[in-house]
């Protein structure tokens, strides 16, 4: 079984920055593609970013490209999401997820999920 625990979410002003972390345990971390998704109230959970097993391939949603950066530290079993130039529309619960597939945007291909961390961006 794989466990994922997110942290780093909080209230921040528009234009500010946050770094989310997700620690993974239970299986070899480096065997998984890692992704971040988010879900705003009343909306579907949507893809944000993904990173390949060794970190050399990244994929981003158009809405965050150029503002967010996904990275991973395989020695620490941790994936990060650096979020800059935050906007009120970035407000959501952010989830990390693990997949046995190549980096992709499809929620259905991610087998393991964390409980989420709340990010609130005030205007």
């Amino acid at each position: 079984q794989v466990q994922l625990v997110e942290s780093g979410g909080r209230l921040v002003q528009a234009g500010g920055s946050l770094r989310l972390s997700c620690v993974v345990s239970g299986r070899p971390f480096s065997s998984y593609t890692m992704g971040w998704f988010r879900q705003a109230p009343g909306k579907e959970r949507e893809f944000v970013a993904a990173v390949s097993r060794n970190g050399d391939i990244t994929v981003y949603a158009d809405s965050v490209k150029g503002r967010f950066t996904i990275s991973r530290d395989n020695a620490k079993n941790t994936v990060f999401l650096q979020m800059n130039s935050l906007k009120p529309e970035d407000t959501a619960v952010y989830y990390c997820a693990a997949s046995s597939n190549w980096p992709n945007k499809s929620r259905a291909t991610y087998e393991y999920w964390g409980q989420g961390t709340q990010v609130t961006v005030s205007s």
Side-chain angles (χ1 to χ4, degrees):
Q1 190 70 9
V2 179
Q3 292 84 40
L4 298 84
V5 179
E6 304 95 335
S7 63
R10 62 175 176 87
L11 173 65
V12 64
Q13 286 191 330
S17 297
L18 277 180
R19 189 172 86 153
L20 305 183
S21 301
C22 174
V23 178
V24 181
S25 61
R27 291 279 177 87
F29 177 67
S30 59
S31 65
Y32 291 102
T33 285
M34 296 301 300
W36 286 96
F37 289 75
R38 65 187 182 187
Q39 187 167 17
K43 294 189 176 181
E44 294 280 325
R45 191 171 299 187
E46 65 175 6
F47 170 80
V48 175
V51 61
S52 60
R53 293 170 178 80
N54 63 3
D56 61 340
I57 298 171
T58 55
V59 180
Y60 294 95
D62 288 344
S63 59
V64 306
K65 205 172 291 183
R67 300 189 298 123
F68 291 10
T69 303
I70 188 171
S71 62
R72 64 190 296 162
D73 184 340
N74 285 351
K76 296 183 178 179
N77 291 0
T78 303
V79 60
F80 304 99
L81 185 68
Q82 177 67 43
M83 305 187 294
N84 298 330
S85 302
L86 283 160
K87 305 175 182 179
E89 51 263 44
D90 294 318
T91 295
V93 177
Y94 282 72
Y95 299 88
C96 72
S99 172
S100 300
N101 296 280
W102 288 100
N104 69 90
K105 301 180 180 181
S106 174
R107 191 174 64 187
T109 65
Y110 289 81
E111 300 128 78
Y112 302 101
W113 294 82
Q115 293 299 305
T117 185
Q118 176 70 48
V119 172
T120 303
V121 183
S122 64
S123 57

